[in-house]
Amino acid sequence: MSGQNSFYLKSDSIMITKSNTLVEACYDLSVAEHDLMTLAINKMHKQPTGTNKVTISAKEFATANKVTDNYAYKTLKDTAKTLAERKLKFPLYVDNNIQGNDKSQKLCVLKPNHKNFTILKVEYHWLQGISYQDQEGYILLHFSDPLAFLIEHTNQAYTKYDYIKTVNFKGFSSKRMYE
């Protein structure tokens, strides 16, 4: 855990890069869940491709959100209990101009620039699994495969903003509108 603790502890600016599909997706998270998922998605986006697990420490969460360590520990623990049940709904596009029989090779996060595509309505849990480690104070998030796919393809269309500017927003809706 020691090498992973410093991700959000280095500066007063945390630049978030989030897939536009994810920004526009339908979901209903608490403010704490949204903040945790935003930090985790951004951290995972900066990891090597093919990774679908990310660790967020209470210290990182506290520093990023300008809250006390005790509040961060409690928030991560409470969030671990509820986040695994939350669902994410978004569209994917099946580009029928791509040759081959394997539909998964034809999936796109961006709507193709032609009319030979179908829309795949996707509804998945955000996470395949979640763990909280009390003694060292971190949460391990194991993202669902569709969410990992969205994160891996963030470079196709994304929104970028400074997370610190959203820290004082009190409601989930205000955070979503800012994105």
Side-chain angles (χ1 to χ4, degrees):
M1 213 12 241
S2 60
Q4 297 176 14
N5 274 345
S6 61
F7 192 80
Y8 290 118
L9 305 178
K10 293 184 179 176
S11 76
D12 292 331
S13 178
I14 299 172
M15 292 309 295
I16 299 296
T17 304
K18 195 185 264 188
S19 163
N20 286 349
T21 302
L22 191 55
V23 169
E24 296 165 2
C26 295
Y27 55 88
D28 187 22
L29 301 176
S30 70
V31 172
E33 290 167 340
H34 179 268
D35 291 347
L36 175 61
M37 290 306 293
T38 297
L39 293 172
I41 287 166
N42 195 59
K43 188 172 183 179
M44 189 176 132
H45 177 68
K46 296 180 183 342
Q47 292 180 159
T49 302
T51 303
N52 66 346
K53 294 177 189 160
V54 70
T55 303
I56 298 287
S57 71
K59 188 72 171 162
E60 286 176 298
F61 190 82
T63 302
N65 289 290
K66 302 185 185 312
V67 296
T68 66
D69 288 352
N70 287 339
Y71 176 81
Y73 282 111
K74 182 179 177 349
T75 300
L76 288 180
K77 202 170 196 178
D78 292 346
T79 302
K81 294 175 186 174
T82 61
L83 195 54
E85 298 303 315
R86 301 290 189 187
K87 289 205 173 177
L88 170 67
K89 299 174 187 175
F90 59 92
L92 284 178
Y93 302 94
V94 179
D95 187 339
N96 296 317
N97 283 353
I98 297 175
Q99 299 299 315
N101 293 327
D102 186 1
K103 291 239 189 253
S104 66
Q105 299 297 319
K106 298 179 178 193
L107 290 178
C108 305
V109 295
L110 292 176
K111 185 176 178 181
N113 290 331
H114 53 75
K115 295 183 189 234
N116 191 18
F117 67 89
T118 54
I119 298 174
L120 184 63
K121 294 179 182 178
V122 178
E123 182 176 327
Y124 283 95
H125 287 281
W126 285 82
L127 304 169
Q128 287 179 6
I130 190 165
S131 303
Y132 185 81
Q133 210 295 326
D134 280 319
Q135 291 77 22
E136 294 182 41
Y138 67 87
I139 195 167
L140 174 64
L141 304 172
H142 184 166
F143 289 114
S144 66
D145 291 339
L147 181 54
F149 178 84
L150 285 180
I151 295 167
E152 192 172 305
H153 291 85
T154 293
N155 61 342
Q156 292 179 6
Y158 60 90
T159 297
K160 192 169 191 165
Y161 65 94
D162 187 350
Y163 180 82
I164 300 300
K165 292 181 180 181
T166 68
V167 168
N168 292 327
F169 293 171
K170 300 300 178 209
F172 174 72
S173 298
S174 57
K175 289 179 182 270
R176 289 279 297 195
M177 285 184 54
Y178 186 82
E179 287 180 341

